Amino acid sequence: MNSAKILIVDDEPNNFDVIEAQLLEEKYELSYASSGIKALQRLPLFKPDVILLDVMMPGMDGVEVCQKIKSDPQWSHIPIVAVTALNSKQDMARCLEGGADDFISKPASSIELRARIRSMLRIKQQYDTLQQQRDTLADILRLREEMSHMIVHDLRNPIACILFAGELLKEDSLSELSQKKVQRIVNCGYRLQSLTNDLLVMAKLESGNLILTQKTIDFGQFSEQTVFDFETIATQKKIRLISEVPSTQKQVNLDPNLFRRVLDNLLSNAIKFSPHNSVVRFRVEYPEQESIQVRIYISDQGPGVSKELQNVIFKKYAVGTVVEGIEQIGLGLAFCKMIVETHGGQIFVEDHPPKGATFILEI
């Protein structure tokens, strides 16, 4: 086991000699800095486990040195014992407020000095143990995430085979009941394919490897086509889907494939969570401010999103109001948030009186 490293900061070399003699039996590795500036320069080279810091030094005093060390995340965990000849409670309080973990008065006995250092070393050891556990957990989580991404990627081929076989079966002369069952298999296959694609895109986003394929499109035409594709689904559920898109042309630069999946997710949710004989509204605005090209409102008359959930609903695997009979995984909105923010926009949710929720996108 390596010896503990003690950095002694004192403008008087004789004091270092005294401390060195007091700690001789402890077999510590000692290093000396004659000023606060030299102590700060010594940190990355020596990497101490404990710092014995004289308070009364010319130029940069010990309290200022302590504040600089504790304000640096790289060194803030190192315990500091302030060594001072000051006896007033105000001076001792000043040392502790500056970030010192303990203090000792001059002249210090060897018994007290060794006890203080041992106490600080226990604190440092606890920190090191926790840090090691945290690093190990981070490695495990990273490995699990990488394995999940590999599995999701490998799922694409069997899903494609299922869809291909399902489409071929639809062309056979099957009974009406069998045709319905095959169609259900195909629908579930496309749903599974969409989920795996979303997971892969999210993985690329989180790793910083996703590259947007942006194009300049007519956003009005883009929006109308999106709503049109959902009209049949809305009609089947007896939901009135209203589109309010300005007739004026608006050229917007975005990744049409990814942004279409965002709108598909939000419209699908709005229809899925709305009751029969209700209204889902899709509205587009072109604000005058330069920072926002397009603002989109998607409103439903479903159970809504509580104030508490509005702050967390866009996190991965978070779900809103649990509705019986409706599948809720908690990936769709997280995917939407990532894509919108990658486009430099934002997404949030508000209440839609008297009932329901409105999801708002700005890009």
Side-chain angles (χ1 to χ4, degrees):
M1 183 176 178
N2 295 331
S3 299
K5 295 181 176 182
I6 314 296
L7 176 61
I8 301 166
V9 187
D10 198 311
D11 62 311
E12 291 290 339
N14 290 337
N15 291 335
F16 172 75
D17 294 337
V18 172
I19 293 175
E20 184 180 30
Q22 291 175 320
L23 300 178
L24 185 63
E25 295 180 1
E26 300 296 327
K27 307 297 182 182
Y28 295 140
E29 183 179 346
L30 305 181
S31 183
Y32 173 66
S34 59
S35 69
I37 293 175
K38 290 183 178 179
L40 296 175
Q41 294 171 345
R42 191 84 179 112
L43 283 177
L45 300 173
F46 186 60
K47 298 180 181 178
D49 295 301
V50 174
I51 298 173
L52 292 179
L53 179 60
D54 185 33
V55 175
M56 300 297 293
M57 293 188 297
M60 186 186 298
D61 70 6
V63 174
E64 187 177 354
V65 175
C66 188
Q67 290 171 337
K68 287 184 177 295
I69 293 173
K70 291 298 184 179
S71 64
D72 188 334
Q74 187 178 2
W75 312 115
S76 60
H77 64 281
I78 300 175
I80 296 177
V81 179
V83 183
T84 176
L86 303 174
N87 293 317
S88 71
K89 291 183 179 180
Q90 289 83 354
D91 291 326
M92 293 178 181
R94 182 168 166 262
C95 294
L96 295 175
E97 288 174 0
D101 299 278
D102 200 353
F103 64 88
I104 188 169
S105 298
K106 293 181 179 179
S109 69
S110 59
I111 295 176
E112 182 182 8
L113 179 62
R114 290 197 295 267
R116 300 278 189 183
I117 291 176
R118 287 171 188 159
S119 175
M120 293 299 101
L121 285 173
R122 285 195 294 270
I123 293 174
K124 178 64 164 51
Q125 186 177 20
Q126 289 171 357
Y127 171 85
D128 290 343
T129 301
L130 288 173
Q131 188 63 38
Q132 186 177 14
Q133 292 173 348
R134 184 186 301 171
D135 292 342
T136 301
L137 179 59
D139 289 339
I140 293 172
L141 291 174
R142 184 165 51 252
L143 179 61
R144 188 183 70 177
E145 194 77 8
E146 289 173 357
M147 290 182 64
S148 298
H149 297 160
M150 290 172 59
I151 291 170
V152 170
H153 188 274
D154 291 344
L155 281 173
R156 299 176 78 178
N157 286 335
I159 291 172
C161 291
I162 291 171
L163 289 172
F164 181 71
E167 295 291 353
L168 287 178
L169 281 172
K170 286 168 62 178
E171 298 176 4
D172 291 344
S173 299
L174 301 175
S175 66
E176 183 178 351
L177 180 59
S178 295
Q179 282 284 358
K180 287 182 178 180
K181 290 180 178 179
V182 170
Q183 186 60 52
R184 185 175 182 184
I185 291 172
V186 171
N187 290 343
C188 289
Y190 280 116
R191 173 63 176 157
L192 188 57
Q193 185 183 60
S194 177
L195 286 172
T196 55
N197 287 337
D198 285 355
L199 281 169
L200 288 171
V201 171
M202 289 171 71
K204 288 183 178 180
L205 279 168
E206 291 172 336
S207 64
N209 293 325
L210 181 70
I211 299 175
L212 296 179
T213 306
Q214 292 184 281
K215 298 178 182 178
T216 300
I217 63 169
D218 179 348
F219 197 80
Q221 184 179 358
F222 178 79
S223 300
E224 291 286 9
Q225 182 62 51
T226 302
V227 175
F228 176 78
D229 291 342
F230 276 87
E231 285 181 350
T232 301
I233 300 173
T235 301
Q236 289 175 347
K237 199 176 175 182
K238 299 179 181 178
I239 289 173
R240 186 182 172 200
L241 181 56
I242 298 176
S243 174
E244 297 177 358
V245 180
S247 57
T248 55
Q249 284 194 344
K250 178 68 174 180
Q251 300 297 313
V252 178
N253 189 257
L254 48 74
D255 186 319
N257 292 325
L258 288 177
F259 206 82
R260 172 60 194 263
R261 285 165 67 179
V262 170
L263 298 184
D264 285 354
N265 263 314
L266 295 174
L267 275 172
S268 176
N269 282 347
I271 294 170
K272 182 167 61 175
F273 287 101
S274 292
H276 293 307
N277 302 314
S278 61
V279 173
V280 170
R281 192 179 303 272
F282 182 96
R283 181 160 61 94
V284 174
E285 290 181 354
Y286 304 139
E288 294 182 0
Q289 60 260 51
E290 294 182 359
S291 60
I292 302 174
Q293 300 180 79
V294 176
R295 183 181 291 120
I296 307 157
Y297 301 85
I298 299 177
S299 304
D300 62 57
Q301 295 179 327
V305 181
S306 67
K307 293 291 185 184
E308 296 78 13
L309 289 174
Q310 287 178 12
N311 296 323
V312 300
I313 198 171
F314 294 101
K315 293 182 180 180
K316 198 190 294 188
Y317 305 118
V319 298
T321 305
V322 178
V323 179
E324 186 178 353
I326 295 180
E327 180 184 7
Q328 295 172 261
I329 299 175
L331 287 175
L333 292 179
F335 172 83
C336 292
K337 185 175 188 292
M338 287 184 177
I339 298 300
V340 171
E341 290 182 349
T342 303
H343 280 83
Q346 63 174 335
I347 180 172
F348 49 95
V349 61
E350 296 179 348
D351 291 332
H352 179 229
K355 186 180 181 181
T358 297
F359 285 84
I360 303 170
L361 291 76
E362 294 178 345
I363 57 170

